[in-house]
Amino acid sequence: MATDNTRKHDRTVDVLVVGSGGAGLTAAATARAAGLEVLVTEKDSVFGGTTATSGGVIWIPMNRHAQKLGAEIGVSDSIENARLYLENETGQYIDRDRIEAYLASGPVMVDFMERETEVKFHAMEFPDYHSDDEGASTIRSLGTLPYDAGKMGPLMKRLKGELPQTLFMGLALGSSLEMKNFMKAGRSVTAMGFVVKRMIRHFRDLALHGSSQSIVRGRALIARLAKTLDDAGVEIWTDSPATELLTEGGRVTGARLTTPDGVVTIRATYGVVLAAGGYPRDRDRRRENHPGITATMEPVLPVPMTNTGDGSRLAESVGGRWNGHVSTAAAWMPTSKLPGATDFTGVWPHLVDRTKPGFIMVTPDGRRLVNESQNYRDLIPAMLEKFEERGTDVAWLVADARAVKRWGIGFVRPFPIPKGHYLRNGYLKSGRTLEELAQVCGIDGAELTATVERFNGFARAGDDLDFGRGRTKYERHHGDDEHKPSPSLGALEQGPFYAVRIYPGEITSYKGMATDVHARVLGHDDQPIPGLYAVGNDQANVFGGAYPGAGATIGPGMVFGWRAGKHLAEEAGKRLPGVAGETERLAAE
């Protein structure tokens, strides 16, 4: 069993992986499965990266789980459909070679990981993010099965935790079934019974083990990958950022790390894989690459504080080419923050509340600004456009008492969890009437009242004539299927009324290093830099800045992490178990 307790010293390995998220650990596991000696180094004091705090979902068209689910529910799909959908998604930013590599390798990667590692997935019926576009499907996303903490041993102490703000009394909700039951607990005896049983198991785990023994979502994906590596003798060095790449004759041959034991030189015989999480917290890079106020504002992000663009800086230092040819700079996410928040633990990603009946978003002029139920990647560009048009940088998520009781709002949990703390600290604003709420928030009260009256008319009729909210399969999926006539539209009628300020946040950056189909970093001459790879958010987004479906960041991270590991193995004259080199089948066949 590999540990991180021994003194770190200069050494030579076959492959060095910089970063311990899903992309980096997939590259490491793939190379190790081919028999290569691998070392993983991580800047943070815990391993897991952004993946560990994510949903652990990957978007892989035509994977075997999807095909089985499709047969069961009568939904068909094909690589041709996926290709058409991605052509529409990426538009002028399409990179056909990498798209084809992604489509071909995705299903192969899934089979390989489930065969050769601890990783296990499950099918999800989840609409693509532009669900009504040609080629879209509902069966391309895969979730990660929970993992038993008891199997982790000493690794558990260094496994990154879930976002603490999203936990309920220390419990992370794994499945959509758990989420639905916890949301309904305040109004359903059956749901409350489910929650009570689940909490009893959770408290038993706390008493016996000090934490829940069910690792879920993105953390389960990381746990499964880390356990695979640990069993294979691969070390993950934490608190050990890479600060310099080593080169000989134009080839990257290793890196220098700053470790608790001092500066250590690692020689990498076949290559270095950069998987350091992109640049969402690099203020200089943001000023150069982000649009509107996101270029200069203090970022309000639920991502690790260590994602400061290290991978890109390392790659550029040896001649790597930056690729900003994408439709948008980031995978956007509407967020809110607690007063005085200083890191990601004080930031809430608004995935659920804004898509439910009884919520709208407005600017200080009292007018709506976006389709609140659209996917999060599209919502922020629309929000930034209205900010510029209206001369503001403020938006509010507004709801009535009924909606907040049913769904919560940001950090505020649904009934029966008290919300007084958030009213007292100023995170949650309230007013007995819309006019009173408007006064508290600095919103035009007359216009807000008129906006809500107009929206309420749309809600009762079941059709949003201003923004078309609730018209797509994706938006209806994220609404409330018990609400009529539209699962997405609900009138704001019952006071008191509540509001939380919304910021243009993100879950990762999309611009990054130019890479080829094997994830090799390209130089300014568009030729691969020997021995250097970039995966995950250190490489420019394969979808050209688009977000086709749930899992469209971790999916590419794992696919190109796998392709990097596979190419490194072939460079060493080895083959992956069960994978026939470059003769792997095209998923279309």
Side-chain angles (χ1 to χ4, degrees), residues 389 494 531:
E389 178 185 305
Q494 295 185 6

Side-chain angles (χ1 to χ4, degrees), residues 113-142:
M113 298 303 290
E114 293 194 312
R115 184 177 66 248
E116 302 294 334
T117 78
E118 291 282 309
V119 173
K120 295 292 182 289
F121 298 111
H122 65 87
M124 299 173 66
E125 190 174 1
F126 201 112
D128 286 344
Y129 281 9
H130 294 106
S131 55
D132 289 13
D133 286 2
E134 193 173 7
S137 180
T138 61
I139 56 172
R140 292 170 178 161
S141 296
L142 293 174

Side-chain angles (χ1 to χ4, degrees), residues 25 69 87-88 119 136 159 206 237 257 302 315 329 383 391 417 465 472 476 510 533 564:
L25 294 190
L69 174 62
E87 287 174 349
N88 292 332
V119 173
L159 173 63
L206 290 179
W237 286 5
L257 315 179
M383 180 179 178
I417 307 302
L465 298 182
T472 70
R476 293 190 294 273
Y510 266 168
Y533 301 75

Side-chain angles (χ1 to χ4, degrees), residues 93 289 291 324-332 377 381 509-511 541 544-546:
Y93 301 97
N289 291 277
H325 186 64
V326 294
S327 59
T328 192
W332 303 110
R377 182 272 185 210
S509 49
Y510 266 168
K511 298 179 181 182
N541 179 250

Side-chain angles (χ1 to χ4, degrees), residues 14-20 23-28 31 36 38-41 242 245 252 254-255 268 270-277 311 314 518-521 531-536 538-539 557 560-568:
D14 292 326
V15 177
L16 173 65
V17 177
V18 178
S20 64
L25 294 190
T26 296
L36 300 184
V38 181
L39 174 66
V40 178
T41 184
L245 291 178
V252 173
Y270 298 107
V272 174
V273 181
L274 300 175
L314 288 169
H518 302 299
R520 294 180 295 183
V521 174
L532 185 61
Y533 301 75
V535 299
D538 279 348
Q539 68 168 225
F560 286 101
W562 181 83
R563 286 189 66 87
K566 174 176 174 292
H567 191 265
L568 283 158

